[in-house]
Amino acid sequence: MDIYGNKVFWAWNNVLNEREIRRQIQGFAQQKIAGFFIHSRCGLKTPYLSEQWFSAVEIAADEAGKQGLEVWLYDEDGWPSGFAGGLVVASDASLCIQRLRLERSLAACRGMRIAACFRRTNNGWESCTPERADCFFAAQSDLHYVDLLNPEACRAFIRCTHEKYRDKLGHLFGTVIKGIFTDEPQMDGYISYSPVLSEKYENAYGRKFEDDLVCVLCGGKKYKKFRLRYIKILFPLFIESYIKQLDEWCRRNHLILTGHLPAEDGLLYQGEIAGSCDLAYRSMRYPGIDFLGRRLCSDVLVKTLGSVKSQEGLERVISETFGCSGWNTNFAQFAWIWGYQAAAGINSACLHFSAYSVVGNRKRDYPAFFSGQEPWFAQWHYLNDWMHAVNEFNSGKEFRDKILVISALENAACEPEENARVVSNAYRLLIEALSDLQTDFETADEFALSGRVRIKGTRLCFGNSEFGLIIVPHVESILGSTAKLLLEYKKNGGRILFTTAPPRFAEYEKSKTLEELISRQNELPFGGVVQNRAELWGKALQFIGYRRNFYCVSDDGRLLKDVRMRVCEKDGETHVFLANKSASDTKEFTLVSDRAGTFRERRFLQGDCAVACSGEDFCETRVLLQPMQSRGFVFGNCARENVPIRFQSEVLHTFSAEWDEENRLALDKCAYSIDGNAFTLPKYVLFVQNEIYEISKTLQANKSLRVRYSVCSKIDQKIRVFLEQGKVQTIEWNGKKYRLDDISFLDRDIRGFDCELRKGMNELTLEYILEPNRTKIDPDKVFESERNRFSYELEIEAVYLCGRFGVYPDSVTSSRGGVLQCEGKFTVDALPQVDFSRELTQQGLFFYSGNFQKSFYFSGDASIAGLSVDCMNAVCAEVAINDRVVGCLFSVHDELDIRKFVIEGQNKVSVMFYSGLRNLLGPHHHVSGEVNFTGQSTFMGKRGFEDEVIDFTLRENTYTEKYFFTPFGGGNVVIHFYK
């Protein structure tokens, strides 16, 4: 088993074909992908869990065995996990989720079961009959998801899914098939309700859960005490009913349970939707997180998982990563995202995702994709190798004397939302402050600590970790068990610090235990209380004598913000990994060891190299971290070496350039006509798709549908037109009928035909049969279990023109971040004489998705050791010297060691710059221009969760008629001389 290798979510999202399955697996192997999760996604045409499905899985397992890849199953049709694509509720409707709603009238409860009702009196709220009530708590059955607090629901889920896999493929369990992924299983939010929870609540407290709902109306301390009683039942019930059942089944069947939960990246909604992620991770053999977007998520997310890994002694944990990062993400940004996670101890990746197909709305399914449709996929092995090396580097034995930060989750889960938001934000700021100080700390929930901690002298032992200092977050109340633990630890000489103020209560009551603890804390000059700012935390830790064996020192003595550090021991040496969170700021500082020795740098794709070190009974070296960069250093007792010094750099200006000279144009606006009626005005193709879908829901019989695209040209030119064939009946280009041939573009289901582009207006008309809609689903009004599986029966998409032509808008301006803003219509004209010393997109190549190569010449010299490029607006740049590929550059900050490849006399260096699919596939019309969090809504012109992640203030309608594109190009080669 390859512990550190990347695996991919492999989205099975069309008709499954043996030849294509084997071809794509072979592509994974060529790019050094270690395995894949077979993931049913929107657009799947082969019925889920059918005989054809299992046959396809067996084919995939057979080919994976031949290629040496791991197969991992995925337990759901879409997500979230638990409903088996509707089979669980179909088997027993009583297993559906009950969504508790607070209503103000009896009429509003129609169709729901009233769980409790209350009326307001002069003495407050009291229970009453429905006819007299002012407020109602009503349970609404939702057949689109299941009650995961009911153990029987999980047993039914296992019968519908896991045991079917065992019946068909059990002979491969534990060999080729390694495990199964569960994805975002969840509760309702607000107040999760279940007959099972109600029963356990009454058994635990001797009072009815439904009667205690009056506390929600009362608010204040009554509400908080109720919430605490509630989560004491809720959190472990979710673990026992769902997570542990799956884990136990997997263990019995020689499989490993992996996956992640929702609402992991903060505390605000985590308690209601997922319970305690900390507790859930501890119940899985291979726990994971979801790390989405071309951005860095909260330190809380990565620290929680990294802490569980250390405390539970797990060999590896996983991150489902790079989803929603968009078509324009480059290798440097992927490395930035992964380096940040690796610095928290996360050491294996599930790449989100590889697409079996990109036709229809599949291409908008939270890209980027890691599959053959990407222009750079044949170069992915470089980043795979880098990530593998980073994962292995960071997987050594950790130091034991750490700081423990107690999580604020339990308090956040008991507070009203406005208070919970304050608690969650304060906790996030605490975690970020300690991370900015490069402290070695871990986190743990109060429930996780309860009953599992040992105190050994001044050390607190929890699992595999030992702590010499405990930090309590800024919370109003802690658990009684936590208060007792802290007091015992303090009496034993342990060190404790409070954030902002000590807790006021233990379980929302005054506590003598807590009072004694605070009294003992007053022995410290500042009462053991630290205001929640990184600078003040630094001073407090210095005052109590905390310092790591390895630490970073800035030149001006100020906080070294945004640098993350991980230190571990491996093979008798110490590994220090440093990651720069900032995408814009360079960090320059000194890395120090408090003992004698030598640092060397681990260049993850090129081996170790010497670095300049100083100090006798200590060791230090200067570190320069470029924006988004990660670097690794090895510390040991080896002799210090002379370090080559760069004394000259030379920019190579003379070059030749080559490209495929086949431009692209995406026609993403069209008009339509039904049953021979007049054509509508042209509009954005996805708006047309939605309109046609709504029309199909009203039909009683088939109708003829004609869709028309148009493009204006100033030249006559032979071109190819590609379209997503779907159910097209006839194709007309300028009045002449055509048929699709077998040549594909991007995807085997995007096929084309040759035709003539003529001067003036050109029209493409596609005819379909519009059938009455069979699903009747409104994807905006159903739970995400159905929405995430939804795809249109008839998919109306953009069409693509390819040929030797240029594409020109009416106007172009450059906006924030260099994004190109185009207005007006695009016109086809002659292909320009491309100037490869400039940015290419604006030279009539707005939709271009190909690559280009520059070649340079230089005279060989023994002092030439390094090579870089001075400008790079590309996904990556592959370098060849004298026609031999020598490596890949991720950014302008990368430098290749080329000493082994340079010969005396003339040398040729060729650099192939690779583009992405952003300018071809979009999103082109989002009001923000270029977004860092991309999903279905980003393309659809309506505000979705993707927008809310980045900007809560964004308007509801996010569509603009303007087009946005990103720059593409590459600069000159720079060679570096050393002595």
Side-chain angles (χ1 to χ4, degrees), residues 940-953:
M940 300 297 289
K942 57 186 178 182
R943 176 177 167 177
F945 89 94
E946 304 93 331
D947 298 298
E948 294 172 357
V949 168
I950 303 299
D951 183 2
F952 276 102
T953 65

Side-chain angles (χ1 to χ4, degrees), residues 116-336:
C117 48
F118 304 95
R119 71 186 183 99
R120 188 191 292 273
T121 70
N122 292 334
N123 298 319
W125 293 93
E126 67 177 22
S127 181
C128 65
T129 61
E131 291 75 20
R132 302 177 62 201
D134 298 312
C135 284
F136 304 81
F137 287 92
Q140 182 178 46
S141 296
D142 185 347
L143 297 176
H144 298 301
Y145 200 54
V146 293
D147 175 10
L148 294 184
L149 297 174
N150 184 344
E152 183 51 43
C154 185
R155 286 191 281 271
F157 177 49
I158 289 172
R159 287 194 298 272
C160 291
T161 305
H162 302 63
E163 291 180 359
K164 287 186 178 179
Y165 274 112
R166 183 183 61 190
D167 293 344
K168 300 290 184 180
L169 302 161
H171 59 288
L172 299 175
F173 284 6
T175 54
V176 176
I177 298 177
K178 302 296 184 183
I180 192 162
F181 193 106
T182 196
D183 199 1
E184 299 190 14
Q186 56 194 255
M187 297 174 286
D188 181 37
Y190 178 54
I191 296 176
S192 294
Y193 182 65
S194 167
V196 177
L197 180 142
S198 182
E199 179 183 346
K200 286 187 175 292
Y201 186 95
E202 185 173 356
N203 291 341
Y205 303 118
R207 50 208 290 181
K208 285 184 176 294
F209 175 76
E210 290 80 0
D211 291 345
D212 267 7
L213 288 172
V214 71
C215 299
V216 175
L217 304 175
C218 296
K221 192 178 284 189
K222 273 191 174 182
Y223 172 79
K224 295 172 184 180
K225 286 184 174 182
F226 162 69
R227 294 283 303 184
L228 180 58
R229 292 192 299 271
Y230 162 68
I231 67 169
K232 282 185 174 182
I233 303 299
L234 180 75
F235 287 9
L237 177 58
F238 180 65
I239 301 297
E240 294 292 333
S241 295
Y242 186 79
I243 302 293
K244 285 192 174 179
Q245 282 205 76
L246 293 186
D247 183 66
E248 290 167 2
W249 188 92
C250 286
R251 288 176 185 271
R252 289 196 303 270
N253 289 278
H254 314 293
L255 294 177
I256 297 169
L257 177 64
T258 186
H260 79 93
L261 278 75
E264 303 162 303
D265 54 350
L267 306 185
L268 181 57
Y269 301 117
Q270 182 183 136
E272 281 297 351
I273 298 174
S276 164
C277 290
D278 180 303
L279 288 176
Y281 297 156
R282 297 177 196 277
S283 300
M284 302 168 74
R285 290 172 65 191
Y286 189 15
I289 58 172
D290 197 6
F291 198 103
L292 300 176
R294 194 193 315 153
R295 58 169 191 144
L296 298 187
C297 301
S298 164
D299 287 282
V300 173
L301 174 66
V302 293
K303 262 297 177 184
T304 303
L305 183 61
S307 299
V308 170
K309 173 177 175 283
S310 177
Q311 294 155 15
E312 300 297 324
L314 300 175
E315 188 174 37
R316 60 179 175 170
V317 291
I318 194 168
S319 171
E320 177 192 331
T321 192
F322 305 147
C324 302
S325 59
W327 290 115
N328 196 45
T329 309
N330 59 48
F331 280 16
Q333 291 165 327
F334 287 133
W336 171 53

Side-chain angles (χ1 to χ4, degrees), residues 700-936:
Q700 301 299 317
N702 292 349
K703 298 283 186 179
S704 169
L705 169 68
R706 304 184 81 204
V707 180
R708 178 173 293 165
Y709 305 80
S710 61
V711 58
C712 184
S713 176
K714 293 184 177 180
I715 58 172
D716 294 324
Q717 179 67 49
K718 291 182 178 180
I719 63 168
R720 281 189 62 80
V721 176
F722 290 96
L723 56 100
E724 302 181 15
Q725 59 194 70
K727 299 179 179 180
V728 65
Q729 300 294 306
T730 61
I731 302 167
E732 288 185 7
W733 175 265
N734 290 333
K736 181 180 178 181
K737 291 189 176 182
Y738 288 85
R739 302 184 68 173
L740 299 175
D741 57 32
D742 292 330
I743 299 175
S744 61
F745 173 67
L746 286 183
D747 190 283
R748 68 191 183 109
D749 289 323
I750 301 178
R751 289 164 42 204
F753 59 92
D754 294 322
C755 62
E756 296 280 343
L757 186 71
R758 68 188 183 195
K759 291 179 183 177
M761 189 61 66
N762 296 261
E763 289 186 344
L764 171 68
T765 304
L766 307 178
E767 186 169 357
Y768 301 89
I769 296 174
L770 181 59
E771 300 174 347
N773 179 269
R774 294 190 294 270
T775 63
K776 307 295 183 184
I777 287 176
D778 184 340
D780 294 327
K781 295 181 180 179
V782 293
F783 184 58
E784 63 174 340
S785 58
E786 292 295 341
R787 187 168 62 249
N788 294 335
R789 304 192 294 158
F790 176 79
S791 60
Y792 294 95
E793 294 177 21
L794 179 60
E795 296 181 306
I796 307 300
E797 293 286 331
V799 298
Y800 310 100
L801 277 55
C802 298
R804 290 179 52 82
F805 54 75
V807 178
Y808 306 94
D810 291 344
S811 70
V812 184
T813 57
S814 183
S815 60
R816 185 179 59 186
V819 177
L820 305 173
Q821 175 181 301
C822 300
E823 297 192 50
K825 295 180 179 179
F826 287 92
T827 300
V828 173
D829 205 340
L831 185 69
Q833 183 65 43
V834 179
D835 181 354
F836 288 93
S837 67
R838 296 170 45 223
E839 191 277 320
L840 302 186
T841 305
Q842 297 182 70
Q843 300 182 55
L845 302 177
F846 287 94
F847 296 88
Y848 184 63
S849 61
N851 311 310
F852 73 95
Q853 179 175 279
K854 283 184 171 182
S855 296
F856 304 79
Y857 298 88
F858 65 94
S859 180
D861 185 317
S863 62
I864 296 176
L867 180 148
S868 61
V869 293
D870 61 5
C871 178
M872 191 166 142
N873 281 314
V875 174
C876 64
E878 189 175 51
V879 178
I881 294 179
N882 300 320
D883 297 322
R884 178 181 177 186
V885 174
V886 301
C888 187
L889 299 169
F890 298 174
S891 78
V892 293
H893 303 305
D894 288 351
E895 182 178 325
L896 289 176
D897 184 344
I898 61 172
R899 286 172 294 183
K900 295 186 293 185
F901 309 105
V902 175
I903 60 175
E904 290 187 12
Q906 188 179 64
N907 290 260
K908 175 186 176 184
V909 55
S910 300
V911 183
M912 179 72 80
F913 293 94
Y914 288 87
S915 72
L917 292 174
R918 161 64 176 82
N919 285 349
L920 180 69
L921 300 183
H924 293 121
H925 300 284
H926 195 279
V927 291
S928 298
E930 175 68 356
V931 297
N932 292 330
F933 201 98
T934 304
Q936 299 273 10

Side-chain angles (χ1 to χ4, degrees), residues 581-626:
K581 276 185 69 176
S582 175
S584 57
D585 297 336
T586 298
K587 308 292 181 179
E588 192 166 1
F589 55 92
T590 301
L591 174 63
V592 183
S593 168
D594 65 3
R595 64 179 189 265
T598 302
F599 285 108
R600 292 173 291 126
E601 182 172 3
R602 174 68 48 83
R603 294 186 176 177
F604 295 110
L605 293 179
Q606 301 184 73
D608 289 3
C609 67
V611 295
C613 298
S614 60
E616 295 184 5
D617 56 351
F618 67 97
C619 181
E620 63 181 27
T621 187
R622 295 290 293 166
V623 177
L624 182 69
L625 276 183
Q626 299 287 358

